[in-house]
């Protein structure tokens, strides 16, 4: 029986070791499977919109959920100006706990893990919504999330042709460099219009914190699937409203996406379908080849839960973690003070 | 400049070292001062009731708050059956973060720290509400929190006579043993009635998770101050409603205490005073010597914030922490994937 005071901790270094031990594409497939499994038992989860603390510079959020047996939450920030100071725009860590006794069972970095689970969710949605046989993806926005998206779409859908565009050519160059070893057919494009030409799937994952039209209506061809990842908070969107109006719209958790997603631009009763219904077979996904489908992704707590439990399970086979002495564990639970005193300097005996 | 990827972590062991380095009574005084300071700038804080995930066995809560510059939250569980399995009923850890960039600046155990801040808050309230010159305290409930309460009341008010009672004599024996070295005048009592005899202050800190009458109206004498710590969640109270009806009632944050505190037994408009108003001088505390005062304590996020910032400040002088590699820190913030790939196995060059 493990000591009651310690909690396994996965550092950034150990998360990287874990991903390489499993293999990055295998990891993405495994995450997608866990997310699909948890989305398919949607009603088992206690769902709540994220708890956000907004400030002029950004937001700090807590995203908890529970399936009644296991509880998980993620701490995540979003600070667009961070990159200028050498910091990540988004960093995160997460905790998994046992609902039965309230003790944490895992603490892990989630900056990398969030990038992986976001990409896995995108690919999972596209697998259900894009035209079968989709092989070409336009990747608009070539920042921190781009390569993860690319690999997830290859691992889950077989996408092997990428058309890249970013307003900053250095970002595209970085992306081309990072993806060179993976055998994609890669094309750098000077504009979004050029990038979407011939694309079956368009992924928008830009970082601008405002309502921007990354993808105008004239660029969206029949049968396209749009994976809208970057519009993920109030006042930040990427798609022209006209694109949304002629598409079939799919979301993670409707109450949250109405506030944070692309659909904040539409009437509050504009019809959308929660992705889990498609995965569970209780709602149709794409109904015809000419249809435009949009996955309006904002990131939801259950995806983090799926990611956290996947990491916990992987640690049994790949023990890339340290034990953190996080929990007070007196011999007698009522004797917290005695534990503290016994740890002190030796008492002088008269 | 410290590395951007690491976050100071205070383990249980290091928290114990820190408390001993500062001195437990000095630590309680310092915590009370920080809480008084933060309560006095009450309006600076973003306040929200705690976010609770209830289950048949207990509750897991997140308690966030922010003063616009610093953000803090505590993870805390409450599982009454835990003690039977050798676990703490309540364990906690906390995080402090920089609102400007969203990066965590401290992760710490908070099981010990919560016991300390709870006691510091109780003593701070009693200092404002109990009759001047109060020296005798009845301590009803001699579990994990009892000794911390005793020391805080001595450090802040000069309470040096304790009358102890617990339904389990073993708990009282433990408490007597732990407090023997601190020079109190200690009396073990066979009943609550015996314990409260001659007491200026009565502290109730029992663990039963139900509505119980620990303190009936006939036991409450004129001029008493009651420090009700144990009634802290829906369905868990310690005082007879009649005691509350004839007392002046003081709470931390009214919206939360209406749900969780002793006053859940009263009409929702029964008058109460938030403690911060007394500390800030904008509301009276005790108005006459014969008055009965009750501090209906449930624990509030600002107290944890004060405790977290106190620990952060103390680490500068007493570096009892480890660096946790929690945050991904690529050389280029947009190149998260490149960081991951460079950590992988060496690439074969053709």
């Amino acid at each position: 029986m493990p000591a009651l005071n310690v909690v396994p901790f996965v550092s950034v270094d150990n998360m990287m070791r874990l991903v390489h031990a499993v293999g990055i594409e295998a990891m993405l497939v495994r995450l997608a499977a866990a997310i699909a499994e948890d989305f398919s038992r949607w009603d088992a989860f206690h769902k709540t919109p994220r708890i956000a603390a907004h400030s002029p510079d950004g937001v700090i959020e807590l995203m908890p959920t529970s399936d009644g047996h296991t509880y998980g939450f993620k701490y995540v920030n979003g600070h667009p100006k961070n990159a200028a100071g050498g910091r990540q725009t988004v960093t995160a860590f997460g905790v998994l706990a046992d609902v039965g006794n309230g003790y944490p069972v895992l603490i892990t970095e989630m900056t990398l893990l969030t990038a992986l689970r976001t990409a896995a969710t995108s690919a999972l949605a596209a697998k259900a919504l894009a035209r079968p046989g989709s092989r070409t993806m336009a990747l608009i926005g070539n920042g921190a999330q781009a390569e993860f998206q690319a690999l997830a779409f290859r691992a889950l859908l077989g996408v092997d042709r990428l058309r890249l565009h970013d307003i900053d050519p250095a970002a595209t160059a970085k992306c081309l460099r990072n993806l060179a070893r993976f055998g994609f057919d890669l094309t750098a494009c000077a504009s979004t219009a050029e990038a979407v030409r011939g694309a079956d799937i368009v992924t928008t994952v830009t970082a601008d914190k405002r309502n921007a039209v990354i993808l105008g209506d004239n660029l969206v061809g029949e049968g396209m699937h749009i994976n809208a990842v970057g519009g993920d908070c109030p006042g930040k969107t990427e798609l022209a409203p006209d694109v949304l109006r002629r598409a079939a719209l799919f979301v993670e958790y409707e109450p949250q996406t109405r506030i944070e997603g692309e659909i904040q631009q539409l009437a509050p009763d504009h019809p959308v379908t929660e992705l889990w219904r498609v995965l569970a077979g209780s709602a149709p996904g794409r109904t015809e080849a000419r249809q435009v489908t949009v996955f309006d992704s904002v990131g939801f707590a259950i995806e983090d839960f799926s990611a956290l439990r996947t990491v916990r399970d992987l640690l049994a086979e790949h023990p890339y973690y340290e034990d953190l002495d996080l929990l007070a564990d007196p011999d007698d639970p009522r004797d917290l003070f005695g534990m503290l005193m016994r740890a002190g300097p030796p008492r002088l005996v008269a």
Side-chain angles (χ1 to χ4, degrees), chain A:
Chain A
M1 183 171 154
L4 288 179
N5 64 310
V6 296
V7 181
F9 166 65
V10 181
S11 66
V12 174
D13 263 359
N14 273 327
M15 182 61 76
M16 294 197 291
R17 287 190 190 103
L18 180 63
V19 171
H20 287 293
V22 175
I24 181 163
E25 291 189 61
M27 182 83 176
L28 287 160
V29 168
R30 187 150 177 167
L31 288 168
I35 294 164
E37 193 176 295
D38 288 338
F39 272 36
S40 299
R41 59 188 186 108
W42 190 258
D43 290 335
F45 285 90
H46 177 76
K47 290 169 284 289
T48 172
R50 58 183 100 198
I51 302 113
H54 291 277
S55 66
D57 293 322
V59 64
I60 296 175
E61 297 174 334
L62 298 174
M63 300 169 69
T65 192
S66 162
D67 69 357
H69 301 281
T70 305
Y71 170 94
F73 82 87
K74 178 164 83 169
Y75 170 105
V76 58
N77 77 296
H79 286 72
K81 293 180 203 152
N82 269 8
R87 287 185 168 84
Q88 290 284 115
T89 304
V90 175
T91 65
F93 69 91
V95 174
L96 211 61
D98 183 328
V99 167
N101 57 39
Y103 271 41
V105 297
L106 174 70
I107 299 184
T108 177
E109 87 81 37
M110 283 193 85
T111 310
L112 280 163
L113 192 58
T114 297
L116 290 161
R117 74 83 161 133
T118 301
T121 305
S122 284
L124 179 68
K127 193 165 175 162
L129 299 173
R131 275 178 289 114
S134 293
R135 287 184 61 185
T136 303
M137 178 160 83
L139 198 43
I140 314 299
N142 301 155
Q145 304 280 319
E147 300 93 335
F148 296 94
Q149 290 282 335
L151 285 186
F153 276 76
R154 192 171 71 177
L156 271 87
L157 283 88
V159 164
D160 58 359
R161 298 172 194 149
L162 296 178
R163 302 177 63 80
L164 309 172
H165 175 66
D166 195 290
I167 48 168
D168 178 2
T172 305
K174 171 222 59 158
C175 210
L176 288 172
R177 209 160 50 234
N178 282 335
L179 291 173
R181 63 196 276 191
F182 292 96
F184 285 99
D185 177 349
L186 296 167
T187 308
C189 300
S191 67
T192 298
E194 189 187 333
V196 302
R197 211 170 291 152
D200 304 304
I201 297 168
V202 178
T203 288
T204 56
V205 58
T206 63
D208 218 349
K209 193 183 178 170
R210 62 197 167 96
N211 293 316
V213 178
I214 306 298
L215 202 59
D217 192 39
N218 59 319
L219 298 181
V220 176
E222 283 184 356
M224 242 179 212
H225 172 68
I226 301 169
N227 172 40
V229 179
D232 61 357
C233 65
K236 180 169 186 287
T237 56
E238 294 179 322
L239 307 186
D242 285 350
V243 174
L244 299 173
R245 287 198 191 95
R246 69 183 171 98
L249 303 176
F250 300 85
V251 301
E252 286 141 318
Y253 177 53
E254 185 177 337
Q256 184 176 308
T257 311
R258 290 280 178 202
I259 298 166
E260 301 173 2
E262 297 297 329
I263 59 170
Q264 64 188 277
Q265 305 179 83
L266 302 181
D269 60 349
H270 190 99
V272 300
T273 303
E274 288 185 335
L275 177 62
W276 73 270
R277 294 190 184 277
V278 180
L279 299 177
S282 67
R286 167 180 294 274
T287 51
E288 47 171 332
R290 293 171 51 179
Q291 193 175 34
V292 173
T293 51
V294 172
F295 178 49
D296 183 3
S297 175
V298 296
F300 186 51
I302 294 177
E303 295 151 29
D304 298 312
F305 180 96
S306 311
L308 286 166
R309 74 175 178 86
T310 300
V311 169
R312 180 202 54 197
D313 293 349
L314 285 170
L315 293 183
E317 198 181 336
H318 308 281
Y320 290 118
Y321 66 91
E322 304 151 60
D323 281 330
L324 276 199
D325 166 33
L326 185 68
L327 305 175
D329 180 35
D331 299 330
D332 171 359
R334 289 176 313 186
D335 198 11
L336 191 62
F337 187 82
M339 181 187 78
L340 172 61
M341 285 302 117
R342 285 188 287 278
R347 185 180 161 195
L348 295 178
V349 180

